[in-house]
Amino acid sequence: MKVQDAFPEKTINEYFSPWIKAINSRECISVLNISKRDQLYRINELINRQTFNEKTQLITLDLKGQIIEDSSDLELYLNKHVKISSNKIVLLILDADQLLDEKTALLSCLDKIYFDRKNYSIIYFFQKNITSSKYTKKLSPYTSLFQNISAFSYFRPEAMNYFIKFIELNFKIKITTELEKKIIDQCGGAPWLIKEAVRYFYQTLDEKNIFNHENMRLKLEILYQELSEEERIVVEKVVKNIYQFDTQEKTIVNYLLRTNLLVDKNQKYDISIPIFKDFILEMLNEKTQITLNSEEQLIINNVIIEGFFSRREKRVIKLFLQNRGKVLSREKIALAVWLNNKDSFYTDWALDQILRRLRNKFVKLGLSCQLIKTIKNQGYLLNK
């Protein structure tokens, strides 16, 4: 397979097709879910791969990097960069999230330029989802933002296979088929994470910790921070296997399905990037843990939760807390629950019911249902 670009031509054409159609129709388009670090890369791919009419001029406007605060600044910038010979002008607005907070005054300026000047189109690059209810009321007067909407999604596996070949050429390293599959299985369609995994292997030849090192954790933390507060709530619910969503959360679920961060498994959703899911789960477990206070009461984040559990359920939890990191057999758990009256009261069904109720209650408390992990043919372990 001959590899020259980071992604196969079919993938690039699919992603850029809505942008090209908007330009050719002399319309505007807002591209969502495209991180600030990726925006310039994608623009360069657009410019390098697409053949435009020689009188079509693409002008990049970085709202964060360039000092443009109002209409006069914008006019000066355009007067400096627009060529008189250009029949069609396409403004590529980088870091358009600035329009939501610091540079809202430019919204009306850009809208006016588009409607007053018949040879202008605008492509807005947003990291945030401007179609969420948080923004739509505020942004609804600016119609150029909503002419066309395109959500940039995570890539499909075949594109990631191609991408790894591209990285191998850059790093001058060969990845085995087995390791390549492992990387794609864990990193999903996130090129940033895949490149970090390959980079780490290139630098260390350490396959064991390829997903568990400082730089990878940093990138996972950045991905998490790039989600809006509302998106984090939905993602955390999915990680905790909670699938009841209110009306607003359902719209966020649909948006995250469009970006391919979530995948639909018969109305039970999952995160498409396993190492990201594991990172969030670990973070939640660190943030929300059951512990015992000085009076041997069960607490979460300094809140007493004794009343949330039955007498027997509390015995099981306290047994696990006293044996963190140890696998407990069913017999040992039963002895703690029924206080050595095992022969009279203990049945497998009764113990299974207690463990099932505990897991359901953990979810309601914001904990993972897998806090008590089943170890096949051995017993149960309290996940740290």
Side-chain angles (χ1 to χ4, degrees):
M1 178 171 58
K2 187 177 181 181
V3 177
Q4 295 179 331
D5 302 300
F7 305 104
E9 185 173 355
K10 179 182 177 183
T11 299
I12 292 175
N13 290 338
E14 284 177 356
Y15 277 93
F16 291 150
S17 177
W19 310 5
I20 301 301
K21 287 180 179 178
I23 291 172
N24 290 340
S25 302
R26 219 287 294 180
E27 289 197 322
C28 302
I29 184 169
S30 291
V31 183
L32 316 182
N33 190 50
I34 182 164
S35 65
K36 296 169 187 176
R37 63 181 171 275
D38 281 344
Q39 291 176 9
L40 193 55
Y41 286 115
R42 302 290 90 86
I43 285 177
N44 288 334
E45 286 174 349
L46 173 69
I47 294 171
N48 292 336
R49 294 302 299 264
Q50 298 297 329
T51 302
F52 294 102
N53 184 292
E54 61 181 11
K55 292 191 175 182
T56 297
Q57 183 183 0
L58 278 65
I59 299 176
T60 301
L61 177 57
D62 186 347
L63 292 184
K64 183 131 186 170
Q66 288 152 335
I67 303 174
I68 298 177
E69 303 290 344
D70 53 31
S71 58
S72 58
D73 293 334
L74 184 57
E75 287 296 340
L76 285 172
Y77 185 84
L78 294 178
N79 289 338
K80 181 179 178 180
H81 290 87
V82 172
K83 297 175 183 176
I84 298 175
S85 59
S86 300
N87 286 341
K88 183 183 289 185
I89 310 296
V90 182
L91 298 183
L92 306 171
I93 309 297
L94 283 175
D95 201 3
D97 289 25
Q98 295 283 315
L99 298 170
L100 308 178
D101 302 306
E102 298 178 22
K103 300 188 177 181
T104 53
L106 286 176
L107 279 169
S108 57
C109 304
L110 290 165
D111 222 37
K112 190 172 189 306
I113 282 174
Y114 170 69
F115 287 106
D116 286 354
R117 306 179 190 186
K118 300 306 179 184
N119 61 334
Y120 273 69
S121 292
I122 304 175
I123 302 182
Y124 299 93
F125 294 94
F126 288 97
Q127 183 169 290
K128 295 178 180 176
N129 174 21
I130 63 168
T131 65
S132 73
S133 57
K134 180 178 179 179
Y135 298 113
T136 49
K137 184 176 180 180
K138 175 182 178 181
L139 298 178
S140 58
Y142 310 108
T143 53
S144 66
L145 289 177
F146 298 101
Q147 269 190 337
N148 298 279
I149 300 288
S150 175
F152 203 80
S153 66
Y154 287 99
F155 293 84
R156 289 192 291 269
E158 57 267 28
M160 294 298 88
N161 285 115
Y162 193 99
F163 182 64
I164 286 184
K165 298 292 188 296
F166 174 78
I167 303 172
E168 284 180 323
L169 289 175
N170 284 348
F171 286 155
K172 294 181 173 59
I173 188 173
K174 180 62 180 175
I175 302 292
T176 66
T177 302
E178 182 181 358
L179 181 55
E180 179 180 316
K181 182 179 185 304
K182 184 178 177 182
I183 291 172
I184 293 174
D185 285 347
Q186 287 298 308
C187 297
W192 203 39
L193 301 182
I194 286 178
K195 188 170 185 178
E196 180 55 44
V198 176
R199 180 188 292 113
Y200 177 81
F201 182 72
Y202 163 71
Q203 293 172 342
T204 66
L205 297 180
D206 175 13
E207 186 174 333
K208 181 179 178 182
N209 296 301
I210 199 167
F211 307 118
N212 184 28
H213 58 275
E214 185 177 347
N215 282 348
M216 183 64 84
R217 289 188 62 82
L218 174 62
K219 287 175 170 55
L220 291 167
E221 172 67 26
I222 291 172
L223 284 183
Y224 178 76
Q225 294 300 331
E226 286 175 347
L227 296 172
S228 69
E229 184 178 349
E230 296 80 7
E231 289 165 354
R232 286 179 210 158
I233 291 171
V234 167
V235 166
E236 289 175 7
K237 276 190 170 185
V238 169
V239 168
K240 292 185 287 189
N241 297 320
I242 301 173
Y243 306 112
Q244 289 76 43
F245 304 105
D246 62 28
T247 302
Q248 182 180 358
E249 289 171 344
K250 285 178 182 177
T251 64
I252 295 171
V253 167
N254 290 332
Y255 172 72
L256 295 178
L257 287 169
R258 287 173 61 197
T259 69
N260 201 32
L261 178 60
L262 291 187
V263 289
D264 188 349
K265 297 185 175 180
N266 297 320
Q267 298 301 310
K268 291 186 177 180
Y269 305 103
D270 202 0
I271 309 296
S272 67
I273 307 170
I275 58 169
F276 190 42
K277 178 181 178 179
D278 292 343
F279 170 81
I280 296 171
L281 184 58
E282 182 182 340
M283 182 184 63
L284 290 174
N285 286 339
E286 289 175 356
K287 183 172 65 175
T288 309
Q289 288 190 351
I290 291 183
T291 56
L292 293 171
N293 64 14
S294 58
E295 298 177 5
E296 292 295 300
Q297 295 173 307
L298 294 171
I299 61 172
I300 291 181
N301 298 337
N302 296 319
V303 177
I304 297 173
I305 56 169
E306 285 274 312
F308 202 72
F309 300 99
S310 71
R311 178 166 41 91
R312 287 175 176 171
E313 290 166 355
K314 283 188 282 190
R315 288 175 188 164
V316 174
I317 298 172
K318 290 179 181 180
L319 178 66
F320 276 114
L321 291 175
Q322 291 160 1
N323 293 273
R324 276 191 182 275
K326 297 180 182 178
V327 178
L328 300 179
S329 67
R330 292 176 65 88
E331 289 75 17
K332 187 166 185 177
I333 297 170
L335 289 172
V337 173
W338 283 277
L339 300 178
N340 296 323
N341 292 322
K342 174 183 160 187
D343 294 335
S344 301
F345 298 98
Y346 166 58
T347 65
D348 283 332
W349 180 86
L351 181 56
D352 288 339
Q353 291 304 303
I354 288 178
L355 294 172
R356 182 187 63 80
R357 288 198 302 272
L358 274 177
R359 284 168 170 156
N360 288 338
K361 289 183 178 182
F362 288 158
V363 169
K364 291 178 181 179
L365 287 168
L367 301 166
S368 168
C369 67
Q370 296 301 316
L371 189 59
I372 295 177
K373 184 178 181 181
T374 302
I375 308 299
K376 190 174 181 180
N377 299 325
Q378 295 183 56
Y380 302 90
L381 173 70
L382 184 68
N383 273 331
K384 295 182 179 180

